[in-house]
Amino acid sequence: MTHPFETFGYYLFSRQVMRERLPRPVYKEYRRAMQREGEIDQPTADAIAHAMKVWALERGATHFCHWFQPLNGRTAEKHDAFIEPDAEGEPITRLSGKALMAGETDGSSFPNGGLRDTFEARGYTFWDPNSYAFVRGHVLYIPSVFMSYRGDTLDLKMPLIKSIDALSTQAVRVLHDLGKTEVKSVEPILGLEQEFFLVEADQAAKRPDIRLLGRTLFSAELLQVGLFEDTYFEGMNERVTDYMDEVNKTLWDLGVYARIEHNEFSPGQYEFSSIFDNAITTIDQNMVVMDVLETVAPRHNFRCLLHEKPFTGMNGSGKHNNLSLITSTGENLFDPGEQQPEDLQFLLFMTAFIVAVDRYQTLLRMAASDEGNDHRLGGNEAPPAVMSINLGSALDELFEVLAKTTDIPTVKLKSMIHPIKSLADLSIETTDRNRTSPVSFTGNKFEIRILGSSLNASAMNTFLFAGMAEALEEIAERLESGDRSDEQALHTTTMEICHELMAEHHQILFSGDGYKNEWQEEAKRRGLEQVNSYIDSVEAIIRPQTVQLCEKFGILTRDELAARHEVLVQRFSHTIEMQARVLLDMANRGVIPALIERQAELNRADEGGLSRTIDRRRKENAAWLDEMEEKIDVLRETLAEVLDVENPLERALALKDRVRAAMAQLVTLLNEVDAGLPEGTLPYPSQDSLVVQ
């Protein structure tokens, strides 16, 4: 019997596979392109394409596709067969270098924010050599970026690549200023923790809200709700274990280092994580993980829900984004070292991170969310929507001192940083995981907890990396204009830089309980931006500050940012509208008929007038019917009025304020009805029968 690890990476066209199958000069050109030190010419592309095709055919592939990440946040693919006729009309298999490097697809049917009209629909996909191709089923997947005919960026990946380049350039500049001239590049390393729910597929199929929206719009709460923590890290039942085994095997074969799986806090909730890797690889692999989790589930009679809040009364799901920065020489820039240069280096890169989060707090809150995350943030399992950074008590004290003074001599600095160094690989006390904080320092990395479970992590990291690049550029300019003649001079200059920046940005630091009402007042007093609704945060993407940031580093243009704003507004509106329509449909076609049938049964049972209980329930059911009809009418009329609003942003805001409010009134009644009726009265399964136990 073959052990699952023996076929690890069998379906991944990895660096090792290329090293074995490509001529040495071709492989060297590929590596130069991967490190963004050169471009792949046509002969090199042809050689790589041929080797990739032969390898894919050996693994059963019949088609190839350019696999990209459009602005809807998921992935897209169009399959082309390898087979084509030769000059004699006989079948041959072929993948040319040209076909590998670029493909053509429809650029107007994907979300584009007006950058494409239907009559100019052409869009192009270009191979991204930063990522490895892989085979799934009968298809060779070629990771790609997506652009319009005119060169507009239409995906989430190209801005990420550009932001990484900007971050690396400015980080290397700072390190060279500190004397680390041997460093050639700096790479952000990510680890993503994917949370999700499993529900019974046959039961989920009976609910239009789960089928169409991936969540329940109403339901009586699970009887145990969050009363016990017994499910957390509990052993998995046999069916879930079999499911996880298949997920793991599938991912291992694809070269994904799937490593951690466990029960989460809520019944039916789980977490799945792979090991840390460079940002591009990690995000690509997370998109594969999400797809595998969903596609494998039906084979085990499950439905996988990636929505941030699929059930009321239970914890929601996030995708914790763990970030560190690693140099080409192997140093972690968020890890204090043994010598003074490493201490100064640590301070400067920590400061750059703090500045970026404070300066772009609403932009990051927006990029880490969607409509679904509105229902999760601020709950007992998720951080509040107000951005803050928890550094732990020791570091918090250090940076608060830096905000007030530059008078921290070398010896004192060493004593203040030493506890962090000793706990660099631990998450206890000094660098504890504050689960009420959107961002926490956890030893030698930052954990960003605000990111929603269903989201592509590219956008949030793009803006974070760009913000850090900007802060590092400012730090480099100050270092280069200051005195760096010896260690003491460099120490003094560094203290001055950190002091100036922390005096302006230290208000983002908070190590207390983010759930307490006092924090909301304190955050307001500090001047932190408080944006409770996702749609109210989307304007951050078109602020002059954001435009200047993105255009400075060539990440996105003003027009591309405006297009993304339009896409975000439209997707929010479509989501709320769809929720309202599904809720109306379920109430009208499912709940009302069930209540009418129930009323007839109760009327017949009460004909003798012998039971006060039956009489009470008969009247209660009748009241539910009348109130249900009223609330349905209110929601229907409100939705119709709001959809007549012409301005897209005004319509989105009205959907948030008016339609959501009308939905909430109906949902409250539906929850009461579902909890008060006998099991099976409604045609929609309850949470108790949905959630995998």
Side-chain angles (χ1 to χ4, degrees):
M1 179 177 176
T2 302
H3 192 279
F5 293 161
E6 291 181 24
T7 57
F8 183 87
Y10 180 76
Y11 292 105
L12 182 70
F13 194 67
S14 64
R15 185 188 307 179
Q16 180 180 347
V17 172
M18 282 186 272
R19 190 185 298 116
E20 294 171 353
R21 291 180 176 247
L22 295 176
R24 185 173 178 79
V26 172
Y27 177 74
K28 288 179 66 176
E29 286 302 307
Y30 160 76
R31 288 293 297 154
R32 289 184 68 245
M34 190 176 188
Q35 295 164 356
R36 298 193 270 289
E37 296 175 355
E39 296 183 356
I40 294 176
D41 58 22
Q42 191 63 51
T44 301
D46 286 335
I48 295 173
H50 177 73
M52 192 181 291
K53 180 207 71 173
V54 172
W55 171 86
L57 291 174
E58 291 171 2
R59 280 146 183 79
T62 57
H63 291 67
F64 68 93
C65 75
H66 281 178
W67 181 69
F68 58 100
Q69 300 169 24
L71 298 182
N72 60 17
R74 297 305 293 265
T75 59
E77 57 197 66
K78 181 185 74 172
H79 302 170
D80 287 295
F82 288 118
I83 194 167
E84 59 180 62
D86 65 9
E88 304 299 324
E90 295 299 317
I92 59 171
T93 58
R94 186 166 184 263
L95 175 63
S96 67
K98 182 179 179 181
L100 167 66
M101 294 290 288
E104 182 181 335
T105 187
D106 185 349
S108 65
S109 295
F110 291 102
N112 60 74
L115 290 175
R116 297 277 73 202
D117 290 317
T118 302
F119 67 85
E120 49 178 7
R122 184 177 295 176
Y124 289 107
T125 52
F126 296 95
W127 174 39
D128 171 24
N130 299 288
S131 301
Y132 300 121
F134 57 92
V135 169
R136 282 191 68 190
H138 69 288
V139 181
L140 168 67
Y141 287 78
I142 303 168
S144 306
V145 298
F146 182 38
M147 303 179 71
S148 76
Y149 178 71
R150 297 180 306 196
D152 303 308
T153 301
L154 297 177
D155 72 343
L156 296 173
K157 193 175 192 183
M158 179 61 85
L160 176 70
I161 294 171
K162 291 178 177 179
S163 72
I164 292 171
D165 288 344
L167 174 59
S168 179
T169 298
Q170 299 306 322
V172 168
R173 183 179 170 188
V174 169
L175 291 169
H176 284 192
D177 291 338
L178 294 174
K180 298 285 187 73
T181 55
E182 71 279 8
V183 176
K184 295 182 178 180
S185 63
V186 171
E187 195 164 39
I189 302 298
L190 292 184
L192 295 172
E193 305 170 31
Q194 181 69 55
E195 295 177 343
F196 61 97
F197 278 85
L198 290 178
V199 296
E200 299 289 354
D202 53 349
Q203 298 295 319
K206 300 174 185 177
R207 294 199 60 117
D209 48 3
I210 292 183
R211 291 203 317 271
L212 299 172
L213 304 168
R215 60 169 293 208
T216 57
L217 292 174
F218 70 91
S219 177
E221 288 186 352
L222 198 71
L223 292 177
Q224 69 199 76
V225 285
L227 297 177
F228 300 98
E229 297 85 8
D230 295 356
T231 57
Y232 194 58
F233 280 19
E234 185 181 42
M236 299 176 188
N237 68 41
E238 188 174 348
R239 289 176 58 212
V240 175
T241 298
D242 290 343
Y243 165 74
M244 290 294 192
D245 285 348
E246 183 176 352
V247 169
N248 276 312
K249 180 64 169 65
T250 302
L251 292 172
W252 289 333
D253 285 352
L254 291 168
V256 178
Y257 283 90
R259 189 170 181 182
I260 296 173
E261 61 187 35
H262 63 81
N263 272 32
E264 258 297 335
F265 184 86
S266 293
Q269 187 184 31
Y270 305 89
E271 181 178 301
F272 198 93
S273 305
S274 54
I275 67 171
F276 285 58
D277 210 325
N278 69 76
I280 295 172
T281 297
T282 295
I283 293 174
D284 275 4
Q285 290 187 347
N286 180 249
M287 302 309 295
V288 174
V289 167
M290 293 166 70
D291 186 61
V292 168
L293 288 171
E294 290 182 320
T295 55
V296 169
R299 293 198 282 273
H300 299 264
N301 197 32
F302 296 144
R303 167 91 186 253
C304 174
L305 304 182
L306 296 171
H307 193 280
E308 286 75 18
K309 195 76 170 179
F311 301 106
T312 57
M314 285 199 282
N315 286 6
S317 296
K319 187 185 332 232
H320 300 171
N321 188 105
N322 296 277
L323 168 68
S324 57
L325 296 177
I326 306 297
T327 69
S328 56
T329 56
E331 280 189 278
N332 183 347
L333 297 175
F334 291 146
D335 191 353
E338 298 292 348
Q339 305 297 324
Q340 159 140 352
E342 281 72 36
D343 290 345
L344 300 182
Q345 170 183 295
F346 173 72
L347 283 183
L348 290 172
F349 280 91
M350 291 289 287
T351 296
F353 182 91
I354 293 167
V355 169
V357 174
D358 183 52
R359 190 175 281 168
Y360 297 102
Q361 52 191 271
T362 299
L363 180 66
L364 294 173
R365 182 254 188 271
M366 178 276 298
S369 290
D370 62 358
E371 190 278 335
N373 220 17
D374 274 356
H375 306 285
R376 165 182 169 259
L377 294 180
N380 289 332
E381 80 288 355
V386 179
M387 291 294 287
S388 65
I389 301 174
N390 167 55
L391 296 178
S393 56
L395 273 182
D396 190 70
E397 178 186 356
L398 170 58
F399 281 93
E400 289 293 351
V401 169
L402 279 170
K404 298 172 184 174
T405 181
T406 62
D407 187 20
I408 305 179
T410 302
V411 174
K412 184 177 180 182
L413 178 63
K414 176 65 69 176
S415 68
M416 296 179 80
I417 289 182
H418 180 71
I420 312 302
K421 174 61 181 174
S422 65
L423 295 174
D425 294 320
L426 302 175
S427 295
I428 58 175
E429 194 176 12
T430 304
T431 55
D432 191 20
R433 295 189 180 198
N434 185 337
R435 294 187 174 273
T436 72
S437 178
V439 184
S440 287
F441 184 68
T442 57
N444 55 8
K445 65 185 187 307
F446 281 96
E447 181 182 41
I448 304 171
R449 297 175 51 81
I450 198 171
L451 184 62
S453 56
S454 69
L455 296 177
N456 185 314
S458 293
M460 185 195 72
N461 285 291
T462 294
F463 293 125
L464 176 60
F465 298 160
M468 285 195 69
E470 181 182 62
L472 289 168
E473 182 183 51
E474 295 168 12
I475 289 171
E477 290 171 355
R478 286 283 286 107
L479 283 170
E480 290 156 11
S481 64
D483 186 359
R484 296 177 284 139
S485 58
D486 54 35
E487 282 195 6
Q488 183 55 48
L490 185 59
H491 175 92
T492 300
T493 300
T494 298
M495 294 301 105
E496 291 172 352
I497 294 170
C498 292
H499 166 65
E500 291 173 10
L501 290 172
M502 291 313 303
E504 183 180 354
H505 298 286
H506 73 104
Q507 64 271 6
I508 198 74
L509 302 179
F510 177 69
S511 296
D513 188 346
Y515 290 152
K516 290 185 176 179
N517 292 332
E518 292 86 344
W519 165 234
Q520 304 300 319
E521 294 302 316
E522 171 68 12
K524 190 180 299 182
R525 186 188 66 77
R526 293 185 183 194
L528 299 180
E529 298 185 54
Q530 298 188 337
V531 185
N532 293 321
S533 173
Y534 164 72
I535 191 60
D536 293 323
S537 71
V538 298
E539 59 82 26
I541 201 172
I542 53 173
R543 288 178 179 175
Q545 183 187 36
T546 305
V547 175
Q548 181 180 0
L549 171 71
C550 292
E551 290 194 333
K552 174 195 297 185
F553 295 113
I555 294 169
L556 288 164
T557 67
R558 181 184 300 272
D559 288 343
E560 289 168 341
L561 288 165
R564 276 160 167 72
H565 177 266
E566 184 176 324
V567 169
L568 296 175
V569 170
Q570 184 184 67
R571 286 185 64 79
F572 179 88
S573 295
H574 287 175
T575 300
I576 300 294
E577 180 184 349
M578 187 66 174
Q579 289 174 1
R581 292 186 185 281
V582 171
L583 188 64
L584 285 169
D585 182 79
M586 294 178 74
N588 263 320
R589 300 175 61 188
V591 179
I592 289 287
L595 286 174
I596 291 173
E597 185 176 342
R598 171 73 170 163
Q599 190 68 42
E601 292 175 358
L602 290 170
N603 288 342
R604 288 193 296 271
D606 195 43
E607 286 179 354
L610 300 176
S611 171
R612 289 193 301 273
T613 298
I614 294 177
D615 182 57
R616 179 181 63 79
R617 289 184 177 268
R618 180 178 63 84
K619 291 176 180 177
E620 179 183 52
N621 197 83
W624 279 339
L625 262 172
D626 293 340
E627 188 178 358
M628 185 80 62
E629 192 71 27
E630 292 172 7
K631 294 189 183 306
I632 287 172
D633 289 342
V634 168
L635 176 56
R636 183 189 296 113
E637 292 166 6
T638 302
L639 179 63
E641 291 173 6
V642 168
L643 293 180
D644 281 339
V645 176
E646 292 186 6
N647 182 279
L649 182 56
E650 291 178 5
R651 186 188 314 123
L653 293 173
L655 283 161
K656 179 202 69 170
D657 294 330
R658 297 182 57 197
V659 173
R660 264 188 178 172
M663 288 174 61
Q665 293 293 318
L666 180 54
V667 166
T668 299
L669 178 59
L670 286 166
N671 289 342
E672 179 186 339
V673 169
D674 195 19
L677 290 175
E679 181 72 28
T681 302
L682 296 182
Y684 310 122
S686 64
Q687 290 186 20
D688 280 293
S689 56
L690 279 167
V691 172
V692 175
Q693 300 285 350

